[in-house]
Amino acid sequence: ALALLFLSMSWAKRGCSSSSPKLLSQLKSQANITGNTASLLEPYILHQNLNTLTLRAACTEHPVAFPSEDMLRQLSKPDFLSTVHATLGRVWHQLGAFRQQFPKIQDFPELERARQNIQGIRNNVYCMARLLHPPLEIPEPTQADSGTSRPTTTAPGIFQIKIDSCRFLWGYHRFMGSVGRVFEEWGDGSRRSRRH
Amino acid sequence: VLGEPLQLTPEIHTVSLQSALQEANLEWTVPTFSHQELNIVFQIEISRMRTSNTIWVGNYSTTVKHEETVHWKWTSDIPLECATHFIRIRAMVDDAQYPPQSSWSNWSSWKEVNAQVSVPPDTLLIFPEDRLLEEGSNVTICLMIGQNLYNVSCKLQEEPIRGEQLDSHLSLIKLNNVVFLNNAGTNINCKAMNGTKNTFGTVLFVSKVLEEPKNFSCETRDFKTLNCLWEPGIDTTLSWHKQRSQHYTLYESFSGRREVSNHRNSHTWQITEDSQETYNFTLTAENNLRKRSVSISFNLTHRVHPKAPHDVTLKTVGATKAHMTWKVPSRGDYTLLCQVELQCEGEVIHEHNVSVHTSANYLFSDLEPDTEYKACVRCASANHFWKWSDWMQKKFRTPEAAP
């Protein structure tokens, strides 16, 4: 199972820190940054003219399903790392599809910055996984799909894509906030019923 | 018999729809038509939702040939998906061969035009979907309301917009003089007071009006290429691939050559050996909604912006004279006028013009011994001034006077 994680991380052959506290500290600050809606959701709302009460509500009323904080807390450390790694992999791809929404990538620099941050987190998650023994299990994602799954008969119009995209980003930021809080608990060892 | 009214009842064959353009394309014939050719005026009547609800009547005159199909296009003021339309036609001969007719033919039968989409009960459909339109234009939005929904309210971004209820499930909202917000489009969003809490919507992609290119001009520096420049005006690019940046095409009428520029404000045009001397350029800016053109005509020799003189040499002659030589890019019998300047301590103390073909020289005299000077030279077309070349400069110092 661990080999699969390595395989999927082939690009991440960069050196790993061997210091768990240092990695954990990095992961906490990265989760903090990416959990902040100012890093991606807010610029997106402004760019797509969704900055009204009604449209903000439409964005946050139905957040796209990401693994909940409670669920993340129940996971063992290896399962938690696998879930974070797999979910962020999907987020990374989904954000790639967002590029279509802009004439040029430079028109929305926050998008590429977010994707780079996600790669950085995934790399640290990979490195943290290497410091945990025994090997990791990679569970299927516990949420149906962290993409924009809207049962639509016809291709959605751009308005619906905007709203779905907004909900996705809102869900992503919330997910990273949860990840950050779970990592916080790693630090002080106060985790209670966790399967190891 | 020429006097009797001709009974020419049209028969509609096909009505094809282009919903994105809100257009209906009609094709009909006049079955009882036995003439070779006849001028006929057709009257077209269009109803909406039911045949009794006429919304448009218009005449269309054309020459009809034997067994020929007539084509005609109607642009609807509302999206065709919103309502069923009905079309019928009648005819009247309007031809010099015949005395003025006073009566129309019978109407064709009604042709139903149904582009309507079915609306799921808990859904609100809004048309047009993701329409591209120009700032300042008008658009009619239609709401098709699912059976379970009512009390629908809509906003243009955050500003409420009111509609006209055509029936319990169809409402029209007329928006006039739409305004550009940014390139991601203006969001029209609607909610129903009951049913799902979903927000339904569409995006109006309002494009800035394409501007005419300004200060379009071309010049040559080497008689090999023409460098054309212009000011493009506002960029009308829109997100979501709704409108790429406008592109610019140069068309030269004497040569018939047409080239699309890869830049927004410039293009390099190759001057071929057999090129004519007079050019008539039309520069066209084009986006999805509009074209804007400007034209200029000029003689190549009137648009020469020479490169700077080269191989400038300066030899002092004694303590009070200096001899300068220089070369210019030459082209056959083409004459340049070169301006020579002498500066001392930043001040122009001497100026002179020299006609030049390929190379030239000039003698500065009455100089002060042991003094620093700067000699400058630039050139322009002798016959038709367009622009000076850049200056070429050479500093020199006269020697001390002999004791």
Side-chain angles (χ1 to χ4, degrees):
Chain A
L2 192 57
L4 274 179
L5 178 59
F6 290 161
L7 268 180
S8 72
M9 301 286 289
S10 57
W11 51 266
K13 284 292 178 280
R14 285 188 295 278
C16 275
S17 163
S18 57
S19 155
S20 178
K22 184 183 172 193
L23 269 178
L24 188 55
S25 162
Q26 277 181 358
L27 281 164
K28 285 177 188 174
S29 60
Q30 285 172 317
N32 236 357
I33 292 167
T34 49
N36 183 346
T37 58
S39 65
L40 189 53
L41 174 62
E42 284 304 321
Y44 182 83
I45 283 175
L46 294 178
H47 193 282
Q48 298 295 343
N49 293 320
L50 299 174
N51 189 25
T52 72
L53 288 177
T54 314
L55 295 173
R56 273 182 177 275
C59 174
T60 52
E61 271 160 14
H62 309 279
V64 158
F66 276 81
S68 70
E69 187 160 337
D70 290 342
M71 192 223 88
L72 292 174
R73 271 212 180 81
Q74 307 306 321
L75 295 176
S76 66
K77 283 190 177 180
D79 289 346
F80 170 71
L81 290 177
S82 291
T83 300
V84 170
H85 170 258
T87 303
L88 287 182
R90 273 193 300 282
V91 172
W92 188 81
H93 280 293
Q94 185 74 19
L95 294 186
F98 275 41
R99 289 171 172 162
Q100 305 285 325
Q101 302 183 14
F102 307 96
K104 301 187 290 292
I105 291 178
Q106 306 90 322
D107 291 335
F108 194 59
E110 292 86 352
L111 187 60
E112 292 311 304
R113 201 173 307 131
R115 296 186 87 225
Q116 286 156 15
N117 286 344
I118 286 170
Q119 296 294 58
I121 296 171
R122 296 187 85 212
N123 189 54
N124 281 340
V125 165
Y126 162 74
C127 293
M128 182 63 92
R130 283 173 52 141
L131 297 179
L132 295 181
H133 294 293
L136 291 167
E137 284 300 317
I138 301 180
E140 280 307 306
T142 47
Q143 300 304 322
D145 170 6
S146 62
T148 51
S149 55
R150 244 182 68 75
T152 52
T153 49
T154 58
I158 289 175
F159 178 84
Q160 196 53 55
I161 297 172
K162 283 189 178 186
I163 296 293
D164 291 344
S165 303
C166 190
R167 289 169 178 167
F168 177 80
L169 297 183
W170 172 239
Y172 157 63
H173 286 304
R174 288 195 343 167
F175 171 70
M176 289 316 298
S178 306
V179 167
R181 284 186 287 277
V182 172
F183 272 130
E184 285 297 338
E185 291 166 17
W186 279 34
D188 53 21
S190 66
R191 300 176 62 71
R192 288 185 309 286
S193 55
R194 287 181 62 76
R195 286 179 289 105
H196 285 282
Chain B
V1 172
L2 280 181
E4 283 212 357
L6 279 165
Q7 266 306 323
L8 300 166
T9 305
E11 188 179 312
I12 301 175
H13 291 294
T14 60
V15 179
S16 58
L17 301 181
Q18 286 196 282
S19 295
L21 302 171
Q22 295 183 190
E23 281 176 3
N25 294 288
L26 275 65
E27 288 183 3
W28 68 82
T29 58
V30 183
T32 54
F33 187 82
S34 55
H35 300 73
Q36 271 314 311
E37 187 175 290
L38 211 55
N39 277 341
I40 297 181
V41 59
F42 293 99
Q43 187 172 69
I44 301 124
E45 181 178 343
I46 298 176
S47 299
R48 179 171 290 157
M49 299 173 77
R50 49 195 176 279
T51 55
S52 57
N53 179 36
T54 300
I55 55 145
W56 191 90
V57 180
N59 288 359
Y60 170 55
S61 293
T62 186
T63 303
V64 181
K65 294 188 172 63
H66 187 52
E67 290 184 351
E68 184 189 54
T69 299
V70 184
H71 299 265
W72 179 77
K73 175 176 69 175
W74 174 64
T75 302
S76 167
D77 58 327
I78 74 166
L80 293 170
E81 297 92 336
C82 306
T84 301
H85 290 81
F86 303 88
I87 300 178
R88 68 178 180 177
I89 305 174
R90 62 184 176 178
M92 183 192 296
V93 171
D94 176 29
D95 197 294
Q97 301 173 56
Y98 283 84
Q101 306 281 299
S102 57
S103 61
W104 291 95
S105 72
N106 295 328
W107 283 103
S108 71
S109 53
W110 284 104
K111 185 79 173 182
E112 182 173 324
V113 180
N114 191 350
Q116 253 192 320
V117 294
S118 62
V119 189
D122 291 316
T123 299
L124 185 58
L125 296 183
I126 305 171
F127 295 99
E129 187 170 70
D130 308 335
R131 171 64 54 87
L132 169 64
L133 67 170
E134 207 166 59
E135 185 168 42
S137 52
N138 306 330
V139 62
T140 299
I141 306 283
C142 87
L143 310 181
M144 301 176 73
I145 304 161
Q147 269 172 313
N148 299 348
L149 305 184
Y150 54 88
N151 273 359
V152 172
S153 65
C154 293
K155 293 181 178 178
L156 183 112
Q157 289 297 126
E158 195 63 351
E159 179 207 336
I161 44 180
R162 294 199 195 294
E164 168 205 353
Q165 199 86 29
L166 291 196
D167 72 21
S168 58
H169 298 292
L170 180 63
S171 186
L172 294 182
I173 301 173
K174 289 191 166 74
L175 299 175
N176 296 318
N177 196 14
V178 294
V179 174
F180 171 84
L181 201 60
N182 78 1
N183 66 26
T186 301
N187 301 306
I188 292 186
N189 52 98
C190 304
K191 287 192 103 159
M193 287 314 112
N194 68 322
T196 72
K197 283 181 67 183
N198 258 339
T199 300
F200 303 92
T202 188
V203 182
L204 287 183
F205 285 90
V206 182
S207 162
K208 281 293 203 184
V209 178
L210 182 63
E211 291 173 330
E212 199 173 80
K214 295 185 180 60
N215 300 330
F216 173 39
S217 80
C218 302
E219 65 181 30
T220 182
R221 309 213 65 185
D222 54 14
F223 290 96
K224 294 188 178 86
T225 58
L226 267 164
N227 305 318
C228 296
L229 294 172
W230 61 87
E231 287 161 27
I234 202 157
D235 181 1
T236 60
T237 305
L238 292 174
S239 292
W240 297 87
H241 302 298
K242 289 305 279 188
Q243 179 163 261
R244 292 181 330 142
S245 182
Q246 63 264 29
H247 62 269
Y248 292 86
T249 304
L250 276 86
Y251 170 69
E252 202 289 310
S253 59
F254 292 116
S255 59
R257 274 169 55 192
R258 182 183 304 273
E259 294 180 8
V260 178
S261 176
N262 295 322
H263 308 285
R264 292 195 61 235
N265 61 347
S266 66
H267 186 68
T268 301
W269 185 276
Q270 296 301 323
I271 298 173
T272 55
E273 284 302 323
D274 58 350
S275 284
Q276 73 281 4
E277 194 146 288
T278 305
Y279 287 80
N280 183 20
F281 274 112
T282 298
L283 171 66
T284 300
E286 184 174 357
N287 64 11
N288 296 26
L289 294 164
R290 188 185 281 270
K291 282 186 181 181
R292 297 274 206 194
S293 293
V294 286
S295 295
I296 53 172
S297 285
F298 58 86
N299 183 305
L300 185 64
T301 60
H302 298 192
R303 290 291 184 279
V304 177
H305 176 195
K307 290 183 178 171
H310 54 90
D311 297 344
V312 177
T313 66
L314 222 305
K315 288 196 185 74
T316 53
V317 179
T320 61
K321 289 191 172 81
H323 185 246
M324 181 164 87
T325 66
W326 68 92
K327 291 179 181 166
V328 293
S330 66
R331 183 209 182 230
D333 54 357
Y334 199 72
T335 307
L336 290 179
L337 177 76
C338 292
Q339 187 179 55
V340 175
E341 257 187 18
L342 189 65
Q343 292 179 15
C344 184
E345 293 171 354
E347 252 189 80
V348 176
I349 58 168
H350 182 72
E351 209 176 34
H352 189 75
N353 289 345
V354 181
S355 285
V356 180
H357 275 301
T358 51
S359 62
N361 63 77
Y362 186 72
L363 183 69
F364 298 108
S365 45
D366 304 329
L367 303 178
E368 293 298 324
D370 189 23
T371 304
E372 185 165 289
Y373 291 94
K374 181 159 75 171
C376 313
V377 59
R378 64 178 179 177
C379 305
S381 168
N383 304 321
H384 304 281
F385 179 83
W386 170 245
K387 282 181 190 169
W388 286 109
S389 74
D390 295 335
W391 286 103
M392 278 304 279
Q393 302 166 349
K394 205 88 172 182
K395 285 183 177 174
F396 67 96
R397 185 178 196 88
T398 50
E400 291 179 8

